């Protein structure tokens, strides 16, 4: 047999946990991940094309599309190694362009990616603990820059590059918001966080240097070049209109179904509810920018549109968009509480698409948001309601192209693999484990956690009509003929009939002999299906791949492997005609595959009868619809009668109005005829008068033309002479300007030389020369400006006069030419010559203007040079004045210091005499502190002994607690045994009408529970243990009471000693602080005296030698005092640490039961002493 080939045809599902999981390829095509593929989906034509993941890939982690829509980057983990694959989307099919998998740095996986605006560079972010931000030139697989995004290994949620600048990069994460710039081969941070750091979840660039950032507390920030410009908080609003939404209609489905809530499992639901209760503010998971502003998620099921306020730097909320509620959900109020994880706009910004945490895709046209003013707009499903958890059951039927699936999201769905639509959907309270379709497609069996239900597939509902008490059914199936169905419960198979709905047989598990074993080649096979023809077999693996094999199987690797799901393949089967392969996985996706042979031909199997189109409808529904039809028919007849009566009344009214109007029109027509005759006669008279006037005007025009020709010729000659004179004047002016510029250059160079020479020699002479040079320059500038103004005014006047004259002439000549085209051949020639002359003159005028601009530029440069020289002169004058002032001030200070020197010497001697008695007092205080330390050590020993006693008592209590727990565990085991006995007894009651089976069941119960010889002994032992436990408990309680009394007595004795010692400590610390203040004052005075002596020593070192001796003495004494003060400081610090340690021990003893502090006694704080000590040490 030839090798079988499977081609992916369609997928129902969205891959969760992928960063940036939906975006537009063009206006009609979107790209999103599903299974281990990326899907290109056409919204209008409903077709899908697949971009398969890499071989042996363990799943996609992040996506990114280039701004030019040509490249797609996919982050994957291939054979436990990270890789980034870049696909070229323009080629058909999409091909791999580059694979980035060789790294010189540590990386576990890439969590976020972004392309640069020109699509040449790629920015990637790795996961903690590395957290590397890598800037790639991806075409050459070259790392341009790499930097650690966060030193604290906080998670990074999103990275991006500015939409207009390749070098600007933004990253956001938990407590991380950084703006980086790529320059000189490195990424440098250009902003610095101020204040408290927030958990930044998402961001978007709204301009070249502006970024909108959202946090987990519902706050939005606008940063411009790293500085915060705007901030707002999103408030939580309860949806009022969402409860009264109408049912959404799916256009391609055969029936109507409500929108999906996409529920999650019970554990996840509890986590979500607790999180929502804890979170008072909405979390901003996604932000998308567009031309008017941006859109952001604002909590569960809510998206807000912000528009920029004109001529201001902030945004205002313009629209609100909500996810619709699901009326068929088991909890409709919570069905719309889905977190929006990704937002994207179409290229024309006409459509907004959102993906949620429940694997749903929603869309809305932006025009609808503008229509709904004041009320919140609502999303619609982009595809159809999808599974949000692992799919556990799969089945198909024969008579209809239907697929039935059930999932851990507590829903059952019916799909149509021919039209690729969702037919039916219903959600339940329990999780569904297995599903089976009747061959006719009219019935379905679903195994729930508590029961097995047999249900009808109606036109708009899945309605149960029989329930069986089969708990935890993991597998069920209809027979080929549909007259039987089987359900599995543990190792027991129950067989039921579909006619009488009774259990006709029970099959127990067996241990058969393995005939043949085929190796799986490094994977685990999770599901298998064989074709109805028996010639091919398909196997699903634990890594999500599908293997197509020929049958019978061989021991060699003879199979084709295809990438399918992002998790283990849960179920798979072939349709009845072997044309399609259906697979479902743990990722919640349903794939349909087209089956071919190796030559590309479909596997043909003749079908005698086409698919059935019948559907089930209940009698009550039909009666209700028939009643509604009758009511509508009667209503239509009544409306017809009313409309006919109203039409007759309108006809009567209209006929009367028509008669009146016809009479009026006839009268008006007659009056208009008379008026027309009168007007004709007047017209003839006016024609005659106009002809006479025209003849007169033609004669006048010919005379005036002749006169104008003569005058124009004379004026042209005069203007030409004036033009020549102006040219001569302009040449002379140019020569004069050049001479003046040369003279200015010469004078400037001479003045600069003279100024430099005089400035080096004497400042006074230089200032005089500069003033003279300035006066000369000012006079020249004034003359030049006056001449310039006069010339410009004269030229402007002449040019304006010439322009006005020639414009008038041109207008007159154009009018004459239009009127007399046939007779003005000669005038055309003259007019063309005049135009040429005018163009030449305008060109000459433009040349003169350009020359004037050049001259003005030269003048401006000269003015700038003059201003620079002036500034230099002023600055140097100021520096000279400042230096003279400083010298004068220093002389005065020296005189004053000499006066105070003698007075300070006398004061130093007196201060030395005052310091000696204070030192003696400090020694006495040290001795007292040492005595206190000895007392503290004694108390510490007593406390340690008490702690040992307490630990012994605690160990005894723990032992008693452990024994109590063991007894409680025994009681639980006995209760569990009783429950099992009750359940088994309940199962035996079901066979009350079958004595044989009942007898076997009761005998099994007897063997299982009754025949235990040690039951009596265990009961006796339990009573003895309880008595022993009570006796030991009483003994321990008595010991505890006596120990508590001892601890309380000893604690009271120690408290009085502690209070006395602490009071003495406080008094000593106060005295020490007073002594420190006095020492500080004396040291400051000594320091001032020493500084004064140092200054006087420099000036009068030879005159007063005694001051040197006094200075040395003071320095030696000061160093001695400093050493002593350091010693006292160390001693005090040690005492302070000991006091803190004692306080901690007292607090620990207070926590012991029975030990309490004396009421009203409070230990003094050591904060004041700490502050004083820090001040003195500084």
């Amino acid at each position: 047999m030839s090798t079988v080939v499977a081609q992916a045809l369609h997928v129902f599902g969205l891959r969760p946990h992928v960063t940036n999981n939906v975006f537009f390829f063009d206006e009609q095509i979107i790209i999103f991940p599903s299974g281990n593929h990326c899907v290109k989906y056409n919204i209008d034509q409903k077709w899908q094309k697949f971009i398969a993941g890499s071989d042996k890939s363990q799943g996609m982690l992040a996506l990114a599309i280039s701004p030019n829509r040509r490249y797609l980057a996919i982050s994957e983990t291939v054979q436990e190694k990270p890789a980034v694959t870049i696909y070229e989307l323009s080629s058909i099919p999409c091909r791999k362009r580059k694979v980035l998998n060789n790294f010189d740095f540590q990386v576990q996986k890439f969590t976020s990616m972004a392309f640069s605006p020109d699509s040449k560079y790629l920015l990637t972010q790795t996961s903690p603990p590395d957290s590397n931000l890598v800037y790639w030139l991806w075409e050459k697989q070259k790392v341009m820059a790499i930097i650690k995004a966060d030193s604290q290994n906080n998670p990074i949620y999103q990275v991006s590059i500015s939409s207009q600048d390749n070098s600007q990069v933004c990253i956001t994460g938990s407590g991380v918001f950084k703006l980086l710039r790529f320059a000189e081969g490195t990424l440098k941070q250009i902003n610095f966080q101020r204040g408290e750091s927030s958990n930044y979840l998402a961001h978007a660039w709204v301009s070249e240097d502006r970024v909108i950032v959202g946090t987990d507390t519902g706050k939005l920030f606008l940063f411009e070049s790293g500085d915060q410009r705007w901030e707002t908080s999103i408030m939580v609003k309860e949806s009022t209109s969402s409860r009264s939404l109408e049912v959404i209609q799916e256009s391609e489905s055969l029936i109507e179904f409500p929108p999906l809530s996409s529920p999650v499992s019970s554990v996840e639901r509890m986590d979500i509810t607790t999180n929502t209760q804890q979170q008072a503010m909405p979390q901003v998971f996604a932000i998308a920018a567009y031309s008017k502003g941006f859109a952001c998620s604002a909590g569960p099921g809510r998206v807000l549109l912000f528009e920029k306020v004109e001529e201001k730097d902030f945004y205002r909320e313009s629209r609100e968009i909500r996810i619709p509620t699901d009326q068929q959900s088991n909890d409709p109020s919570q069905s719309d509480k889905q977190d929006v994880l990704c937002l994207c706009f179409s290229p024309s910004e006409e459509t907004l698409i959102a993906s949620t945490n429940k694997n749903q895709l929603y869309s809305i046209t932006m025009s609808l948001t503008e229509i709904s003013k004041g009320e919140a707009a609502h999303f619609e499903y982009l595809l159809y309601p999808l599974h949000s958890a692992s799919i556990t059951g799969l089945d198909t039927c024969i008579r209809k192209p239907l697929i039935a699936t059930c999932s851990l999201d507590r829903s059952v769905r019916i799909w149509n693999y021919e039209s690729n639509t969702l037919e039916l959907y219903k959600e339940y309270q329990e999780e569904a484990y297995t599903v089976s379709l009747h061959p006719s497609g009219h019935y379905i069996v679903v195994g729930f956690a508590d029961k097995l239900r047999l249900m009808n597939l109606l036109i708009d509902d899945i309605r149960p009509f029989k329930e069986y008490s089969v708990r935890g059914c993991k597998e069920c199936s209809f027979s080929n003929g549909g007259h039987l169905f089987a359900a599995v419960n543990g190792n027991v198979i129950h067989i039921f009939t579909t006619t009488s709905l009774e259990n006709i047989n029970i099959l127990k598990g067996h241990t058969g002999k393995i005939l043949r074993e085929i190796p799986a080649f490094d994977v685990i096979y999770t599901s298998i299906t064989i074709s109805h023809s028996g010639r091919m077999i398909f196997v699903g693996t634990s890594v999500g791949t599908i293997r197509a094999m020929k049958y019978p199987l061989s021991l060699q690797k003879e199979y084709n492997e295809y990438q399918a799901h992002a998790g283990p393949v849960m179920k798979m089967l072939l349709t009845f005609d072997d044309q399609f392969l259906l697979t479902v996985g743990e990722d919640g996706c349903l794939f349909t595959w087209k089956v071919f042979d190796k030559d590309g031909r479909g596997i043909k199997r003749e079908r005698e009868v086409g698919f059935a189109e019948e559907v089930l409808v209940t009698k009550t529904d039909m009666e209700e619809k028939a009643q509604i039809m009758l009511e509508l028919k009667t209503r239509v007849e009544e409306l017809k009668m009313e409309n006919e009566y109203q039409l007759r009344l309108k006809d009567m009214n209209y006929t009367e109005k028509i008669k009146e109007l016809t009479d009026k029109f006839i009268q008006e027509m007659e009056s208009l005829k008379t008026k027309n005759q009168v007007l004709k006669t007047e017209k003839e008279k006016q024609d005659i008068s106009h002809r006479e006037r025209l003849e007169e005007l033609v004669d006048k025009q010919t005379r005036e033309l002749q006169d104008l020709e003569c005058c124009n010729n004379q004026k042209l000659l005069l203007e030409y002479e004036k033009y020549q004179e102006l040219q001569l004047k302009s040449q002379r002016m140019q020569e004069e300007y050049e001479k003046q510029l040369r003279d200015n250059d010469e004078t400037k160079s001479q003045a600069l030389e003279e100024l430099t020479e005089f400035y080096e020699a004497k400042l006074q002479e230089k200032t005089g020369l500069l003033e003279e040079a300035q006066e000369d320059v000012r006079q020249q500038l004034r003359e030049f400006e006056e001449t310039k103004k006069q010339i410009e005014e004269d030229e402007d006047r002449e040019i304006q006069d010439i322009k006005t004259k020639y414009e008038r002439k041109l207008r007159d000549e154009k009018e004459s030419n239009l009127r007399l085209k046939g007779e003005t051949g000669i005038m055309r020639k003259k007019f063309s010559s005049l135009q040429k002359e005018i163009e030449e003159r305008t060109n000459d005028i433009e040349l003169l203007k350009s020359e004037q601009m050049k001259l003005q530029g030269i003048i401006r440069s000269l003015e700038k040079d003059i201003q620079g020289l002036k500034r230099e002169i002023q600055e140097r004058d100021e520096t000279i004045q400042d230096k003279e002032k400083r010298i004068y001030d220093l002389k005065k200070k020296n005189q004053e210091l000499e006066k105070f020197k003698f007075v300070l010497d006398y004061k130093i001697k007196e201060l030395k005499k005052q310091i000696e008695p204070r030192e003696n007092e400090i020694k006495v205080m040290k001795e007292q502190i040492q005595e206190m330390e000895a007392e503290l050590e004694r108390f510490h020993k007593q406390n340690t002994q008490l702690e040992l006693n307490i630990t012994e008592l605690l160990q005894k209590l723990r032992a008693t607690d452990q024994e109590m727990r063991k007894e409680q565990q025994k009681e639980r085991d006995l209760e569990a045994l009783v429950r099992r006995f009750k359940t088994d007894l309940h199962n035996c009651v079901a066979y009350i009408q079958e004595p044989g089976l009942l007898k076997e069941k009761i005998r099994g119960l007897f063997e299982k529970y009754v025949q235990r010889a040690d039951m009596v002994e265990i009961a006796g032992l339990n009573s003895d243990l309880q008595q022993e436990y009570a006796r030991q408990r009483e003994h321990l309680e008595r010991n505890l009471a006596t120990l508590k009394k001892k601890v309380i007595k000893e604690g009271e004795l120690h408290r009085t000693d502690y209070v006395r010692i602490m009071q003495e400590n406080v008094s000593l610390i106060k005295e020490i602080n007073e002594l420190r203040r006095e020492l500080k004052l004396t040291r400051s005075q000594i320091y001032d005296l020493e500084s004064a002596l140092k200054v006087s020593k420099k000036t009068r070192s030879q005159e007063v030698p005694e001051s040197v001796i006094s200075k040395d003495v003071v320095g030696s004494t000061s160093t001695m005092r400093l050493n002593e003060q350091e010693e006292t400081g160390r001693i005090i610090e040690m005492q302070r640490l000991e006091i803190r340690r004692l306080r901690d021990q007292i607090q620990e003893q207070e926590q012991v039961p029975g030990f309490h502090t004396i009421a009203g006694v409070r230990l003094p704080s050591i904060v004041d002493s700490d502050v004083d000590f820090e001040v003195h040490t500084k």
Side-chain angles (χ1 to χ4, degrees), residues 531-545:
S531 65
H532 295 85
S533 63
R535 293 181 296 173
M536 52 187 173
I537 185 170
F538 292 91
V539 180
T541 66
S542 59
V543 296
T545 59

Side-chain angles (χ1 to χ4, degrees), residues 1030-1048:
R1031 188 175 61 76
Q1032 289 181 0
R1033 183 176 179 181
E1034 289 175 359
H1035 178 66
L1036 290 170
E1037 285 176 353
R1038 289 171 189 168
N1039 291 332
L1040 267 175
T1042 55
L1043 289 169
K1044 283 180 181 178
K1045 289 176 182 178
K1046 288 180 182 179
V1047 169
I1048 289 164

Side-chain angles (χ1 to χ4, degrees), residues 715-729 798 801-802 805-806 841:
K715 288 178 181 178
L716 285 170
L717 292 170
L718 292 170
E719 292 294 333
Y720 184 70
E721 291 175 356
K722 287 180 182 180
Y723 177 69
Q724 288 180 350
E725 290 176 358
L726 288 170
Q727 280 184 345
L728 293 171
K729 285 181 182 180
E798 290 176 358
D801 295 334
I802 293 165
K805 289 178 182 178
Y806 281 104
R841 288 180 184 177

